[in-house]
Amino acid sequence: MKDQGQQASFAPDAAHIETLARAALSRLPSPFTEHLSNVVLFVEDFADEQILMEMEIDDPFALTGLYSGRPIGDAEQTGDLPPAIHLYRRPLLDEWVETGVSLEALIAHVVVHEVGHHFGLSDEDMHNLEEMVTA
């Protein structure tokens, strides 16, 4: 039985993860944000079986995020879907619990990594961009 002043606690839902991801995206510097308007953000519990098979991942908890689409500068082709960032809620929550990193920092890390794929950034560039977003 809970006290009258106590509120129930639940794991962050997809909407909360999306809010944190959009907040991280909003902190990116303007040269990046100008090229993200057509990138779609999806928050799903897990990657689907086809994606896991294509990436040769056996454990669905091993994938926290994914960029799909052509990086900036690659020629678009007829029939291309818009670029997308996929965040996987359950693996993110699992990593959050295991690492002790704040959920905001973890989401920002994954979002920046996926944005980095959109721009074709190196790991070092992604790290520098993440410092800007989490500072």
Side-chain angles (χ1 to χ4, degrees):
M1 183 175 205
K2 68 179 186 177
D3 294 335
Q4 289 180 351
Q6 240 179 356
Q7 293 183 354
S9 298
F10 299 98
D13 61 9
H16 186 74
I17 301 291
E18 181 177 347
T19 298
L20 295 176
R22 291 199 183 283
L25 287 168
S26 74
R27 292 190 300 272
L28 290 168
S30 66
F32 293 97
T33 57
E34 294 164 9
H35 296 283
L36 291 172
S37 62
N38 66 332
V39 176
V40 181
L41 178 64
F42 294 103
V43 180
E44 303 153 292
D45 273 352
F46 291 101
D48 65 37
E49 291 292 325
Q50 182 179 347
I51 289 171
L52 294 171
M53 281 181 22
E54 287 172 9
M55 297 186 74
E56 299 179 0
I57 296 174
D58 294 329
D59 181 2
F61 282 93
L63 186 61
T64 56
L66 177 69
Y67 172 77
S68 60
R70 294 188 187 278
I72 294 285
D74 282 8
E76 292 183 15
Q77 296 185 10
T78 304
D80 277 352
L81 294 173
I85 294 173
H86 303 261
L87 298 177
Y88 302 113
R89 186 181 78 88
R90 296 283 308 279
L92 284 164
L93 295 179
D94 200 51
E95 187 171 329
W96 174 45
V97 169
E98 288 179 2
T99 63
V101 172
S102 75
L103 187 56
E104 293 81 2
L106 177 60
I107 299 295
H109 170 77
V110 174
V111 166
V112 167
H113 186 83
E114 302 315 328
V115 164
H117 289 302
H118 180 62
F119 288 97
L121 300 178
S122 69
D123 285 342
E124 184 180 341
D125 290 337
M126 286 184 217
H127 177 74
N128 292 335
L129 185 59
E130 183 178 350
E131 285 182 356
M132 288 182 211
V133 170
T134 57

